[in-house]
Each structure stands twice: as structure tokens, then as C-alpha cells.
Amino acid sequence: MSKGVYVSKALAVSIIVVTVLAVSSIITMLVVYNIQIEKNPPQRPPTNSPTTPFPTGPPPNLRLPGDLVPEKYNVYLQTYFYTRLSNVTNQTFAFNGNATVYFKCLKTTKKIFMHSKDLNITLFRVTDENGDVVAGRLTLWDDESNFLEVELESALKANKNYIFFTTFEGEMFDDLAGLYISKYTENGEDRYLAASQMQPTDARKVFPCFDEPAMKAIFDITIIHRRDTTALSNAKTKESWVTTIDDEQWLVTHFYPTRKMSTYLLAFTVSEFKEEKSDNLTWARPEAVDANHTKYAQEKSIEILMFYEEEFGIPYPLSKLDQIALPDFSAGAMENWGLITYRETALLYEEGVSSTSNKEWIVTVIAHEVAHQWFGNLVTMKWWNDLWLNEGFATYISYKGVNKAEASWGINDLFVLHETQPVMQVDSLASSHPLSSGEKDVQTPSDITELFDSITYSKVLFSLSWSFMFFNYKSYLKAYEYSNAEYKDLWSHLQMVINSEIRVEEVMKTWTQQMGYPVITINTTSGEVLQQHFLLNQTSHYNFTWQVPIKVMKSGSSTLEADLLTRKGPVQKVMYQASGNQWLLANVNCTGYFRVNYNPQNWERLLKQLESNHKNIPVINRGQLIDDAFNLARAKYINTTLALNTTKYLRNETEYIPWESALENLDYFILMFDRSEVYGPMKAYMRKQVYNLYKYFEPYTMNMTCISNQYNQINAISVACSNDLEDCKETASKLFREWMNNASNKIHPNLKSTIYCNAIAAGGEEEWDFAWQMYMNATIASEKDKLRYALSCTENVWILNRYLSYTLDPSKIRKMDSVSTINYIARNVVGQSLAWDFVRSQWSYISQEYGGGIMSLGSLIDGVTERFSTVFELQQLRQFQKDHGEGSFGSATRALQQAMERTEANIKWVQENKQTVLEWFRRETTNL
Ligand SMILES: *[C@@H]1O[C@H](CO)[C@@H](O)[C@H](O)[C@H]1NC(C)=O
Ligand SMILES: *[C@@H]1O[C@H](CO)[C@@H](O)[C@H](O)[C@H]1NC(C)=O
Ligand SMILES: *[C@@H]1O[C@H](CO)[C@@H](O)[C@H](O)[C@H]1NC(C)=O
Ligand SMILES: *[C@@H]1O[C@H](CO)[C@@H](O)[C@H](O)[C@H]1NC(C)=O
Ligand SMILES: *[C@@H]1O[C@H](CO)[C@@H](O)[C@H](O)[C@H]1NC(C)=O
Ligand SMILES: *[C@@H]1O[C@H](CO)[C@@H](O)[C@H](O)[C@H]1NC(C)=O
Ligand SMILES: [Zn+2]
């Protein structure tokens, strides 16, 4: 049994991992860049000297000057690697090529600035329209600008066209950035493939280019590769032929020219992959295609594509849309125009093996990436500071797409759990940031990478959802197609259709330009309402005011009342007053992005309503009351016991949202107390609360269409098992034993994680070794992930230690999975100190070997220190920092700092709350 590990949590963890990853290459890239900054602090280019006759050099920042704009590129790339090593002795990951860029000069200049990174430029030539060479000297900037600079002997003239030609050499690594190498096994043999990930700034690692999103151009690509491989890119293959180079035969694949597009959306793959037969292709490992694992994604993506075409009123602009599942991929997926790349878990589905949450993940990611084909690819943000225009739209629209593809799921119900609560959590920390940042504040690749967080992805949804109902997608897309937009363009488009005295920009400004969100405090006796900036761990120094749309309902009344609170308050209004025993509930159905606090009497009345008939309060708000109460308690607006009291009615609750909200919040209690005497009474309480739910969902083979019921069944079983409900533990071990005995796995896919975990926790070496064997044999990544998680649940110290050592061996645990595996082990209370010791003792190796981008050192530190809440642990953290020197943590620097701050906050919280919480749990369980 793994104490304190709810599987719903594990799912959440995996969802978070993937979201975070999907959310982009985020953290991994952060690692690379931060390390590079350490080594080469970015040097701003010199400012123009007043004596130069022509404007030379970029402005004093890391942006291209904009005086030259590309129109078209011809790019040749040749890769030399072999996919199989059987007969080969000289495997090589080198690539080379040439690039011809046709550009226009807008302003006379003697300098060309472009981007190039980690490439050896072997030849370059600048020519004018007549083919005359313009002589010059080429320099590669050795810093984070990645500038390729050519100083010319004579100036380029405004309104003339020029050609810049380069030949170059590069090398592919397994760094998941630019053009990179990936590996998988087929029939027990290694296979290699090349794939790409350009976003945000790695197209420059493949060929020299103007690598900024607004520098859109047409790309004419040719790839030269080994004859037994297939090359893919954004456009369809126009022609392909065999040619002889240096006595060897090569396949040349020439693609149609692309539409006008940004460099970060380019994509290339060279592999032995097979396609799922159809017009719009889904590519994967041949074994996965033969096993029909691509079928589900194939069907759903076409459905979603056609739905968007209708919804947006603009046909999909390209002639094909390929999707490819890659064995190694830093993000969850990437929306490259015409060639979407995915992690295997985000695309491959096996009926009877993959769970509903695997399926949900696949459809959600597809719906997100396909939405980008319009929002992001057709219309692109002008610069990365407006990344949320791309991501917010894609996330918002993906809910419509999923709802279309899987109507029976009721996906919109999960919005609050998937988007609202997580983003509110992040946005309540002092380290949060406003949605919209100034163009000047986002310069370096690491500035850009930091933007890929949940604020960028989710916050805009709340702020915008009220106005999106009127949004005319077509007119917005038409206005900016093949071009770029800024957030102001969006407001003006919304204003056009909203046609009311509400000034869109005024309202939206308060949500996009200020970080965080308000807590609305309502006094139902006096009818007073006020807003304050809500921060979890401190009081705000900012004088923020939001324009807050508030919807209110009262007991005994069926009408909603609405208000737009524009002042800080307190403001007094009749609508906030309740009479007699009436309760008042604000933020009905959680359409607003804020928390709500009430006077104690109103809290009491709401709790009473939950106890007597909870269905009188909408289900989303039952979740909100719990989530708000726990967060308000953490921020000391209310007592911890009031928050705990919101969970008492759960013994009669069968809905997912309230349960999940409670479990998410109680998870903090588990982390803080699962090594103390509080944990016994807490488990007894949880057993009592979950009993009815467990019985309700007990038939483990139940078929349910509604997705939230399916998830709540998982919760019921994992909470019951992890809190020692004997029935549950026995059933888990029995089901697992059956699998071990007759080699056919009858466990319902949804329940696999929970059952595996609990059976391994209750079992010993035999169970673990069996699961490890199944992990090694699994042919689908989602099954591997479930087993990889479950293997961390054992209570055997030596087995956990051996498992930890496997994370350093890529043939056992893929590099992309190392961090999450170590974090799973740290989540297990038995593994906590093992994982921390392991990370400390292996730090030099880990940070050197994996610090280059694949492992996110930051989330590793974050994961292994999550439980820290003692003075002793704080000292260990400080010692760790001292031992390695403050400057040596690269991208983990901030995470280490945050871990120390969090530990201090935890120490304080435990001191202040332990006794109260212990007494509360004891009181609630005395007469059991
Ligand atoms: C490669 O090796 C396999 C078995 O070792 C052999 O059957 C095959 O003919 C070889 N191919 C080449 C091109 O040498
Ligand atoms: C690899 O070896 C083969 C045969 O020895 C040779 O023809 C070929 O040029 C080599 N390739 C590279 C990239 O060195
Ligand atoms: C670029 O490389 C390709 C393939 O090697 C070659 O056919 C082409 O002529 C080169 N382009 C130029 C302009 O030299
Ligand atoms: C680039 O040039 C350097 C120095 O000549 C060499 O060491 C390196 O291997 C070259 N890299 C590639 C990818 O060809
Ligand atoms: C493939 O995509 C294109 C572009 O949207 C579309 O016209 C075509 O109908 C799709 N093919 C199928 C089989 O859905
Ligand atoms: C895959 O699907 C095809 C067509 O539906 C079917 O004939 C084949 O047996 C399936 N293959 C497997 C391995 O299930
Ligand atoms: Zn996206």
C-alpha cells in the first residue's frame, strides 16, 4: 500500500506532467538556456555609433532589426544516419545542407542579421537581383542572441531584393531540440529516427534563418536521406527520386512549397515509420500501426478538423495534415503546420488497454493542436509576449473540439478541475506574472520559454469566456491570415461584435495586465462587498482593482442576480444581502476568475445546506466551496477547521468535482502529516467518508459513459485502498494475482494504475519483478507509464533503491521519464528520503548528464522536496546548496530557492495547525 498516494493524484501528476510538457518544451528548454546563460551571459549588441553612415546593427536588444524581411527559402538537408545498425559500423548523426533565402531590404543597411545556432557555416554568399556578389565578412555571435552577422562592403539598398546563400554542417543529438535523434526498439533491435522540435527558437539550429514568428516566408524543402527511410515535412511530397552521391544511393524527397509561415512551425522527420492508410495520415512505429494503435487518433482528428472548418468558416488551408507519434518528445505535442508531432502517449490508443484518461488526453491534445492550425499557424502572434493569444485560444477551442468528438463525456464539466483550479493555484503565488507582458520584457530564448506556463494557457479563458460567445472567428482569422496579430487586435475585434457600452479593452486590461486575481468578500448581513488581491502566503503590496462580473444565487430563489464590481469597495448593495436563514452563493457555476469569502453566518448556512441536501447547490459550486475554503484557510482568511468542515458532507456525495476538489486539497495534509501521529486519525476519517462512495462504485467492471463518473470510481477505489479499507486492498491483490497467474490482464484499463499500485504496495519482490517484466514488454507507452508509476508504490526499501538506480540507465527508463520516475518514488512516503539521498549523491552526474535539456532539474528539486516541513530538512536543503555552490544549479536555481521558501512556509503551517487538525480528525472519528 502506498501511503498518501492517491491514484487520482498519480493521474493528476501524469496529467500535470503531460500538460506541463504539452504546454510545451518549457522546462527542458529552460534548462538548456539557463545553463547557457550561466556560461555566456547575454551580451547586448553594441548601440549604433553616431559616426556610421548607415544604420548598422540591430537596436540594443536581442531582436532582429527588421530592416530585412525574408520572402522565400530553398533548403536542402541531408541526414546520414542509419535506422538499423545490423550491418553498419560507422553510424553518424551528422547532417549538412544549404539554404538560399530570398529577402527584401526595407531600409538601407550594411549589415545582415539572421539566426544560426550550433551550425558550422562552411560557405556563404550574398548576391543582388542581377546575380552580382556583395562581398562581406561573416561573424557568429557567441552568446544567447544566436546572431549570424554579415558585415558588407557595400550597402544593401531599400526596396531591392537580395539572396543569401549558405552551406552548413550540424549534428543531431538526443536533446529533443532542433533536428534531433530518437531511438526505439523493434523486434528487440534498436532503430533510429530523426525528428524536429523548433518552437520556440530552434529552427536556427537546423539552418540559418530569420527565426522570429513575424518573419513569415515560404519554404521549399528538399531532404536527402537513406533509401530505406521516409522523409516528412510540412507540405506534401512533390517528387522523389534516387540519386548517387559519393558512390552511395540516396533518396531525394522534394516537398511542395509551404504557405507563408513562421519558422517555429517547420517540421522534419526521417524514419522507417509506417502510416495509417487514409488521406490524412497518422504515422507511428510500424508495430504500433500494425496493432491499430493509431486508429482512434486518426478518426478523431478528422472529425475535429472538419468541425473546426465549419466552426471557423475557413477551410483548413493546407492540402494535408499528417500526425506522427515520436518515441522521444519533449512536449506533449507540437502544432507544426501540416505535420503535428506527438509523444506516443498523446496519440496511440489501444482498446481494452488504454484508460479513459489516456483517451481523454489524446483527444484533448489533438483538439488543441488542430485548433492551432488556424489560431497560431494561420494567424500568429506578432511576438512571443502575446503567446497567450495562440495558447489561450487553442485551449479554449479544444473544449469545443473534444465535446464534438466525444459528446457523451461531458468534458465541459471538467473545465473547473482541469483549468480553473490549477491556474488559480499558480496565480495566487507572489511569483506569478501578468498574462500579457511587454514586448521589450521578452527577449532571450529563456524569457520566451518561461512564458509556456499555465497562466498563458488557461487564464485567458476566464477573462474572455463571457465575450467569446459573440466572437466572430471568421472575421478575425480573415483579417490576419498568413500574418500576425497583437492582443489589441483581439480586443478591437471583440468590441466590434459586442456592441454594448461595456468597453472590452477596459475590462480585459484588469485581467491581462495585472497578475493574480481578487478574493471577493461578501457580508450577507450588511450587503457589503469588497475585493482584495488574493495571495496565498503574504499580503499584496499592489494596489490592484479588477472589473469583476459577479453572479449570485440565494436559497429559496430561482433567479440569479448579476453585477459588475468595478471598485475596490466596500460597496453596499441589496443584492448581496440575505434575510433570515437564507444563504447566498456567489460565482455561480464558477464563470468568474476569483475566490469568494463570506461572513461566518453565511458560511454556516452553506455548510448546513450541504449537510441537509447538497443538491440544492450546483455541483461545480460544491467543488468551489471546498477549494475556496481550503485556499482561504491557507491564506488565513478563515480557520482551517472551517475548511475541513466543508468535507464532512462528502460521505453523501457521489459527484466527481467536489470529491476531486477535496482530494486535491487534502493532499497537502497528507504530505505534511503522513509521517506524524495525525495520519492515523486522518486515515480513519477518510475511510469513513469514502465508504459509501466505494460501495456505490464497487462493481469494478461497471460501464459508464460519463467521464466524471469514471474518474470518481478511480478516486473511490484509490482513496479506499490507500486508507486501508480491507475490502479494497484484498480485491486489488486478488486481481493482480490473477493477472500473474494466467498472463491475461482482466483489470479494467481505468483501474489499472490504482490496482497495480496497491497490489505492488501490498506485495513483495515477486509482484514487483512481474510488473517490471510487464513494463519492459509493454508495446504501448500509456501501459508503460501506468506500470512505471505503480513500480514506485512498493514499500520495500531495497527495491525502491534499485528502481532509483534504473533511472540513470536509459535502456531501462527513457531519459524523458527519469524525473517523473524519481518524483513518483519521492511521493511514496517510504521512498521520500531515498529519493532525496539519491538526488543529492548523484547530483553532479544528473545535472551534467541530463542537465542539457532532457531532464527538468527544476521539477526534480520541486518533486523530491515536496514533503519538506521540518527544520532539519530545511538545513539539509541549505547544505545541499552550499555543497554545490549557489551558481551551479542552472535551471534548478529558482526551484531550489522556491523549495526553501516552501519548506519555511510548511514548517510554520504545521506548527500553527498540527494540533488543531489532529483534534479535528480525532473528534470526527471518536465514535467509530
Ligand atoms: C545485413 O545483415 C543481414 C543479417 O545479418 C543480412 O541478411 C543482410 O543481407 C545484410 N544486408 C546488407 C545490405 O549487407
Ligand atoms: C560508412 O562506411 C561505408 C563503408 O565503409 C562508406 O562507404 C561510407 O562512406 C561511410 N559513411 C560515412 C558517413 O562515413
Ligand atoms: C544545395 O544542395 C543540393 C544537394 O546537395 C544541390 O543539389 C544544390 O545544387 C545545392 N544548391 C546550391 C545553390 O548549390
Ligand atoms: C564544426 O567545426 C569544428 C571545428 O572545426 C569541429 O570540431 C566540429 O566537429 C564541427 N561540427 C560539425 C557539426 O561539423
Ligand atoms: C484530409 O484533409 C483535407 C484537408 O482538410 C480534407 O480536404 C480531406 O477531406 C481530408 N480527408 C479525409 C479522408 O478526411
Ligand atoms: C487492425 O484492424 C484491421 C481492420 O479493422 C483488422 O483486420 C486487423 O485484424 C486489426 N489488427 C489487429 C492487430 O488488431
Ligand atoms: Zn498549444
Side-chain angles (χ1 to χ4, degrees):
M1 166 32 267
S2 74
K3 298 186 190 71
V5 183
Y6 290 127
V7 166
S8 76
K9 192 63 202 173
L11 287 177
V13 169
S14 64
I15 288 171
I16 289 164
V17 169
V18 200
T19 315
V20 164
L21 289 167
V23 153
S24 155
S25 345
I26 334 166
I27 304 168
T28 52
M29 290 193 178
L30 206 67
V31 177
V32 187
Y33 296 126
N34 282 346
I35 284 174
Q36 283 175 347
I37 297 173
E38 299 298 340
K39 283 196 291 218
N40 310 307
Q43 250 186 329
R44 309 275 154 167
T47 41
N48 298 343
S49 112
T51 52
T52 27
F54 296 104
T56 60
N61 60 36
L62 299 184
R63 297 287 301 280
L64 294 173
D67 46 11
L68 308 175
V69 292
E71 280 171 355
K72 187 179 176 199
Y73 294 79
N74 282 342
V75 180
Y76 286 84
L77 291 173
Q78 183 166 13
T79 60
Y80 291 86
F81 75 100
Y82 297 87
T83 51
R84 306 175 183 220
L85 293 187
S86 27
N87 308 2
V88 174
T89 51
N90 57 353
Q91 175 69 304
T92 165
F93 297 134
F95 68 92
N96 61 27
N98 63 52
T100 312
V101 44
Y102 300 83
F103 65 90
K104 190 180 189 103
C105 176
L106 299 182
K107 222 166 87 195
T108 299
T109 176
K110 275 186 94 169
K111 286 191 176 187
I112 297 173
F113 278 96
M114 287 173 61
H115 292 106
S116 171
K117 186 179 164 194
D118 300 343
L119 293 173
N120 284 347
I121 311 281
T122 43
L123 191 149
F124 78 94
R125 188 171 59 230
V126 182
T127 46
D128 64 16
E129 280 163 336
N130 309 322
D132 294 333
V133 172
V134 188
R137 197 164 56 88
L138 182 140
T139 322
L140 295 173
W141 289 61
D142 188 19
D143 65 19
E144 228 200 347
S145 71
N146 305 140
F147 280 143
L148 173 162
E149 178 187 352
V150 184
E151 238 176 300
L152 298 164
E153 282 173 13
S154 56
L156 305 182
K157 298 195 185 60
N159 298 319
K160 293 265 186 257
N161 295 307
Y162 295 90
I163 300 168
F164 181 61
F165 174 77
T166 47
T167 63
F168 49 86
E169 291 171 354
E171 196 173 337
M172 299 184 284
F173 299 96
D174 58 356
D175 58 357
L176 313 185
L179 198 59
Y180 67 90
I181 205 82
S182 167
K183 206 165 104 174
Y184 62 98
T185 51
E186 187 175 79
N187 304 326
E189 248 191 90
D190 282 346
R191 299 276 186 274
Y192 293 85
L193 72 122
S196 69
Q197 167 63 33
M198 311 303 192
Q199 192 186 32
T201 55
D202 282 317
R204 61 189 71 170
K205 270 181 82 179
V206 185
F207 60 93
C209 55
F210 293 88
D211 199 8
E212 290 190 359
M215 294 283 185
K216 290 194 173 184
I218 289 165
F219 296 84
D220 188 318
I221 311 276
T222 306
I223 298 182
I224 303 163
H225 51 107
R226 299 218 173 258
R227 286 184 64 184
D228 50 5
T229 57
T230 306
L232 296 177
S233 185
N234 304 79
K236 265 189 181 163
T237 301
K238 186 176 178 192
E239 56 206 333
S240 68
W241 65 92
V242 175
T243 186
T244 306
I245 303 173
D246 294 338
D247 297 332
E248 274 190 290
Q249 299 225 297
W250 296 84
L251 192 57
V252 182
T253 305
H254 179 205
F255 302 94
Y256 281 100
T258 65
R259 306 301 291 256
K260 205 172 163 207
M261 63 183 280
S262 306
T263 46
Y264 80 89
L265 292 168
L266 289 168
F268 313 108
T269 63
V270 177
S271 70
E272 276 189 29
F273 278 14
K274 275 171 80 170
E275 77 276 29
E276 163 78 35
K277 286 275 172 279
S278 162
D279 261 13
N280 301 302
L281 305 174
T282 302
W283 301 76
R285 285 180 288 111
E287 280 180 348
V289 174
D290 292 341
N292 293 338
H293 293 176
T294 48
K295 281 234 153 60
Y296 181 69
Q298 174 72 43
E299 265 169 40
K300 292 301 160 187
S301 50
I302 290 179
E303 243 177 271
I304 291 171
L305 186 80
M306 296 195 331
F307 169 66
Y308 287 160
E309 290 189 321
E310 211 170 294
E311 183 80 4
F312 303 152
I314 295 185
Y316 173 65
L318 309 187
S319 61
K320 66 110 176 169
L321 178 56
D322 284 338
Q323 316 195 81
I324 187 165
L326 298 169
D328 297 287
F329 195 68
S330 63
M334 175 65 210
E335 70 262 24
N336 315 301
W337 215 2
L339 175 55
I340 308 179
T341 45
Y342 295 82
R343 239 181 210 235
E344 289 196 346
T345 46
L347 200 69
L348 304 182
Y349 176 79
E350 185 175 357
E351 192 66 49
V353 172
S354 308
S355 66
T356 304
S357 71
N358 296 144
K359 204 172 188 176
E360 186 204 334
W361 178 238
I362 292 168
V363 185
T364 305
V365 176
I366 291 175
H368 179 101
E369 305 306 337
V370 174
H372 270 313
Q373 306 302 309
W374 286 263
F375 287 94
N377 302 3
L378 182 63
V379 176
T380 312
M381 75 264 143
K382 209 168 248 163
W383 178 242
W384 297 104
N385 63 317
D386 281 333
L387 180 67
W388 59 275
L389 274 185
N390 271 13
E391 297 306 341
F393 261 123
T395 308
Y396 177 79
I397 291 160
S398 72
Y399 277 82
K400 292 173 179 252
V402 174
N403 207 28
K404 176 73 189 176
E406 291 288 0
S408 69
W409 284 1
I411 192 74
N412 291 328
D413 291 348
L414 299 184
F415 190 84
V416 169
L417 294 171
H418 285 184
E419 316 291 340
T420 319
Q421 292 182 2
V423 71
M424 287 186 107
Q425 202 66 45
V426 178
D427 212 8
S428 65
L429 301 175
S431 59
S432 187
H433 63 85
L435 189 53
S436 185
S437 22
E439 189 170 339
K440 290 213 163 48
D441 300 332
V442 180
Q443 298 258 345
T444 64
S446 41
D447 294 342
I448 296 167
T449 308
E450 278 180 22
L451 291 173
F452 288 84
D453 66 5
S454 61
I455 306 258
T456 296
Y457 278 72
S458 305
K459 185 171 177 177
V460 65
L461 303 174
F462 310 97
S463 342
L464 288 180
S465 57
W466 60 274
S467 51
F468 269 11
M469 287 185 267
F470 314 99
F471 190 54
N472 184 338
Y473 296 110
K474 188 171 178 179
S475 95
Y476 176 77
L477 287 167
K478 271 283 166 213
Y480 300 100
E481 63 180 356
Y482 304 107
S483 170
N484 301 71
E486 285 182 289
Y487 73 94
K488 289 203 165 113
D489 303 327
L490 179 60
W491 300 162
S492 54
H493 260 261
L494 275 169
Q495 190 69 65
M496 281 194 276
V497 286
I498 278 180
N499 187 24
S500 106
E501 63 268 36
I502 296 179
R503 295 275 331 279
V504 176
E505 190 169 352
E506 290 303 306
V507 176
M508 295 314 301
K509 223 167 58 186
T510 66
W511 297 100
T512 59
Q513 310 209 341
Q514 299 176 149
M515 71 173 203
Y517 55 85
V519 49
I520 305 296
T521 304
I522 297 173
N523 184 332
T524 57
T525 311
S526 65
E528 279 178 323
V529 59
L530 63 97
Q531 55 168 305
Q532 290 160 283
H533 180 193
F534 181 79
L535 284 178
L536 208 48
N537 297 318
Q538 61 234 74
T539 43
S540 170
H541 316 295
Y542 306 101
N543 190 28
F544 291 160
T545 311
W546 285 266
Q547 304 221 349
V548 193
I550 304 179
K551 263 193 252 162
V552 159
M553 74 182 275
K554 293 175 190 166
S555 54
S557 158
S558 56
T559 51
L560 300 185
E561 294 173 71
D563 183 26
L564 184 69
L565 181 66
T566 55
R567 285 192 288 143
K568 196 164 252 129
V571 179
Q572 198 186 20
K573 283 190 183 170
V574 178
M575 88 175 244
Y576 296 109
Q577 241 164 3
S579 53
N581 271 337
Q582 202 175 33
W583 51 254
L584 177 150
L585 179 79
N587 200 7
V588 178
N589 287 329
C590 297
T591 48
Y593 187 59
F594 54 89
R595 295 197 186 279
V596 192
N597 189 15
Y598 306 97
N599 49 320
Q601 295 83 348
N602 195 58
W603 274 113
E604 277 314 312
R605 288 175 200 148
L606 286 166
L607 288 182
K608 249 197 211 133
Q609 181 65 67
L610 287 176
E611 287 282 344
S612 58
N613 183 2
H614 57 265
K615 294 199 171 136
N616 283 359
I617 294 176
V619 60
I620 293 185
N621 288 94
R622 306 206 289 272
Q624 170 222 20
L625 284 172
I626 296 171
D627 192 56
D628 278 357
F630 275 92
N631 281 283
L632 290 169
R634 288 279 293 279
K636 298 195 182 162
Y637 282 85
I638 63 173
N639 292 330
T640 303
T641 47
L642 174 51
L644 286 168
N645 284 339
T646 61
T647 67
K648 281 165 71 171
Y649 93 99
L650 287 176
R651 67 184 181 284
N652 298 320
E653 178 65 272
T654 52
E655 290 286 342
Y656 178 59
I657 294 175
W659 264 103
E660 185 63 19
S661 305
L663 295 178
E664 287 293 332
N665 283 292
L666 286 171
D667 192 53
Y668 181 68
F669 286 63
I670 295 175
L671 285 172
M672 292 304 103
F673 296 133
D674 67 358
R675 298 176 294 176
S676 82
E677 73 270 26
V678 179
Y679 200 45
M682 178 167 178
K683 277 171 101 170
Y685 175 72
M686 294 305 289
R687 263 199 312 278
K688 173 176 114 179
Q689 295 302 85
V690 81
Y691 186 78
N692 289 341
L693 190 72
Y694 180 74
K695 286 293 166 196
Y696 181 81
F697 283 116
E698 195 171 28
Y700 282 22
T701 48
M702 202 191 289
N703 270 328
M704 296 169 279
T705 50
C706 165
I707 207 166
S708 39
N709 281 338
Q710 299 189 34
Y711 290 170
N712 216 21
Q713 183 186 39
I714 303 172
N715 274 343
I717 294 170
S718 68
V719 174
C721 276
S722 64
N723 290 290
D724 300 344
L725 199 81
E726 282 309 321
D727 245 18
C728 181
K729 293 176 66 171
E730 277 163 25
T731 312
S733 294
K734 195 182 93 213
L735 289 172
F736 193 78
R737 179 53 61 173
E738 278 169 15
W739 181 25
M740 286 174 72
N741 289 343
N742 66 17
S744 97
N745 187 347
K746 300 241 171 57
I747 304 166
H748 192 286
N750 282 354
L751 305 180
K752 282 179 172 176
S753 284
T754 316
I755 303 284
Y756 295 173
C757 174
N758 283 290
I760 288 171
E765 192 181 355
E766 199 194 339
E767 282 79 8
W768 200 93
D769 286 348
F770 173 76
W772 176 256
Q773 208 49 53
M774 293 299 107
Y775 165 81
M776 292 302 272
N777 295 348
T779 52
I780 183 154
S782 56
E783 179 72 8
K784 268 196 195 303
D785 276 3
K786 293 185 190 99
L787 286 158
R788 191 165 55 78
Y789 157 70
L791 287 163
S792 75
C793 298
T794 177
E795 294 184 352
N796 278 296
V797 170
W798 72 269
I799 297 180
L800 280 175
N801 259 331
R802 185 180 62 184
Y803 192 30
L804 275 169
S805 71
Y806 289 179
T807 62
L808 298 179
D809 179 352
S811 71
K812 293 193 162 75
I813 307 279
R814 275 182 191 276
K815 282 184 175 185
M816 68 175 182
D817 294 330
S818 295
V819 163
S820 62
T821 307
I822 299 172
N823 284 347
Y824 286 154
I825 295 172
R827 257 272 154 184
N828 179 345
V829 66
V830 180
Q832 167 67 63
S833 57
L834 305 178
W836 170 231
D837 288 348
F838 178 80
V839 168
R840 279 189 295 176
S841 64
Q842 301 290 338
W843 184 255
S844 305
Y845 180 78
I846 292 175
S847 57
Q848 174 197 334
E849 189 70 8
Y850 296 93
I854 293 159
M855 279 222 315
S856 154
L857 299 179
S859 78
L860 181 62
I861 295 289
D862 185 58
V864 296
T865 64
E866 206 180 7
R867 218 182 238 104
F868 283 12
S869 50
T870 65
V871 176
F872 182 59
E873 283 160 338
L874 183 61
Q875 280 165 356
Q876 288 187 337
L877 265 173
R878 295 206 172 115
Q879 189 61 42
F880 179 52
Q881 188 184 43
K882 220 188 268 159
D883 290 348
H884 294 275
E886 257 181 66
S888 73
F889 285 91
S891 67
T893 309
R894 198 165 130 202
L896 189 62
Q897 195 56 42
Q898 284 171 347
M900 288 193 272
E901 283 167 22
R902 180 175 59 190
T903 307
E904 284 173 35
N906 289 347
I907 294 172
K908 204 156 154 256
W909 187 85
V910 169
Q911 272 169 359
E912 287 168 0
N913 289 284
K914 185 168 169 185
Q915 203 52 37
T916 324
V917 171
L918 178 61
E919 279 161 20
W920 191 91
F921 281 126
R922 283 211 178 121
R923 199 165 54 239
E924 290 302 318
T925 53
T926 40
N927 43 6
L928 285 184

